[in-house]
């Protein structure tokens, strides 16, 4: 079945550690890709997005993500995390043939230890 | 701009009761969406609308109804509440579909006892 997979459900890191959250999707063809973040008690907000062009995209708060088409992946990275990055992160995919909807992954809950 | 607003923030219902979750956006967005978020399950699309007067089912529409009489408002109706509908409900909007960013409301936490 077509889907969006986030490999880690729960990640715990210490401050200053490097972060990589995996995301794979199973849709063929052109896709638009997103990472959303939900801080505790807040609603979802866009972290970054990829539509076309440079496969390495930079978002807010020092986050970046790399689109690797051959691997159907869009992993999220940050070189040095902060306590304020504690949140839930959702990868989302918009397949080109479903231009009205975005498919969300199940989310990765990130907990940063001070 | 207030963005996407939702009311109420919290609600407890008894089995069989009905209620309407309100969603309003002031960004003149064409597309609006209702999701439910369950722990460890991510967001599942309930219903969506591509414009006033047009609605369509998402992944988990059973037990819910929607209407879109204006561009701004997209209420979600639960007719006969069931414990399985205990969840956090998010409304979202986007200018158009496709690759436009979705803007989310603050959510409504619903408990059905």
């Amino acid at each position: 079945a077509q889907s969006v997979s986030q490999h880690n459900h729960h990640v715990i890191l210490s401050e200053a550690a490097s972060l990589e959250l995996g995301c794979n999707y199973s849709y063929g063809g052109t896709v638009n890709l997103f990472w959303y973040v939900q801080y505790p008690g807040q609603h979802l907000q866009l972290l970054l997005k990829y539509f076309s062009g440079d496969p390495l995209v930079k978002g807010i708060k020092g986050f970046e993500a790399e689109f690797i088409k051959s691997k159907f992946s869009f992993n999220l990275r940050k070189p040095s995390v902060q306590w304020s990055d504690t949140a839930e992160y959702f990868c989302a995919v918009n397949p080109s043939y479903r231009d009205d909807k975005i498919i969300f992954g199940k989310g990765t809950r990130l907990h940063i230890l001070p | 701009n207030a963005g996407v607003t939702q009311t109420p923030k919290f609600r407890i219902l008894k089995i069989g009761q009905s209620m309407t979750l309100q969603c309003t956006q002031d960004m003149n967005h064409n597309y609006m969406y209702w999701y439910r978020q369950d722990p460890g399950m991510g967001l599942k699309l309930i219903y969506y609308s591509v414009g006033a007067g047009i609605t369509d089912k998402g992944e988990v529409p059973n037990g819910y109804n929607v209407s879109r009489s204006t561009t701004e408002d997209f209420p979600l109706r639960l007719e006969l509440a069931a414990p399985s509908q205990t969840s956090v409900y998010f409304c979202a909007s986007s200018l158009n579909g496709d690759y436009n960013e979705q803007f989310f409301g603050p959510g409504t936490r619903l408990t059905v006892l």
Side-chain angles (χ1 to χ4, degrees):
Chain A
Q2 295 174 322
S3 65
V4 179
S5 298
Q6 293 183 240
H7 313 302
N8 310 100
H9 296 298
H10 199 174
V11 173
I12 302 174
L13 294 173
S14 298
E15 274 194 309
S18 65
L19 169 72
E20 181 160 3
L21 300 181
C23 174
N24 285 89
Y25 61 93
S26 60
Y27 303 97
T30 305
V31 292
N32 302 308
L33 300 157
F34 308 81
W35 275 97
Y36 282 83
V37 60
Q38 186 177 25
Y39 296 104
Q42 297 186 28
H43 55 278
L44 279 83
Q45 55 188 288
L46 185 69
L47 200 55
L48 50 77
K49 59 188 177 185
Y50 170 81
F51 297 153
S52 64
D54 189 344
L56 184 63
V57 293
K58 295 192 184 298
I60 59 173
K61 304 187 181 186
F63 284 91
E64 64 179 29
E66 184 175 13
F67 170 50
I68 303 179
K69 189 174 181 179
S70 61
K71 294 185 178 180
F72 297 86
S73 69
F74 190 54
N75 292 353
L76 180 71
R77 299 196 292 249
K78 186 170 183 178
S80 177
V81 294
Q82 301 171 303
W83 178 78
S84 58
D85 294 325
T86 294
E88 191 158 15
Y89 293 81
F90 293 91
C91 180
V93 176
N94 164 231
S96 60
Y97 63 86
R98 296 187 63 177
D99 61 355
D100 52 0
K101 291 190 284 288
I102 291 176
I103 316 302
F104 285 85
K106 293 185 176 182
T108 296
R109 194 175 293 272
L110 175 65
H111 187 77
I112 305 300
L113 302 173
Chain B
N1 285 351
V4 180
T5 57
Q6 291 181 237
T7 56
K9 285 188 168 56
F10 304 94
R11 184 71 185 268
I12 298 175
L13 286 180
K14 294 182 180 178
I15 295 172
Q17 286 185 319
S18 62
M19 76 163 293
T20 299
L21 282 65
Q22 301 291 346
C23 175
T24 300
Q25 53 91 9
D26 63 358
M27 297 173 283
N28 204 30
H29 283 174
N30 294 314
Y31 286 61
M32 295 188 75
Y33 309 81
W34 273 106
Y35 294 91
R36 58 178 289 173
Q37 183 185 27
D38 300 307
M41 298 301 292
L43 281 82
K44 292 190 183 297
L45 183 65
I46 305 170
Y47 270 96
Y48 68 103
S49 168
V50 303
I54 306 169
T55 62
D56 207 346
K57 295 178 180 179
E59 186 181 356
V60 289
N62 291 345
Y64 306 94
N65 276 302
V66 293
S67 60
R68 184 95 182 271
S69 56
T70 66
T71 300
E72 295 79 20
D73 300 306
F74 190 42
L76 177 71
R77 178 88 178 156
L78 283 71
E79 291 293 350
L80 290 169
S84 61
Q85 293 178 305
T86 294
S87 187
V88 180
Y89 292 84
F90 287 100
C91 179
S93 72
S94 65
L95 180 59
N96 291 304
D98 205 357
Y99 47 82
N100 273 229
E101 172 188 355
Q102 291 189 11
F103 292 82
F104 283 81
T108 295
R109 186 174 294 275
L110 175 67
T111 302
V112 182
L113 301 174

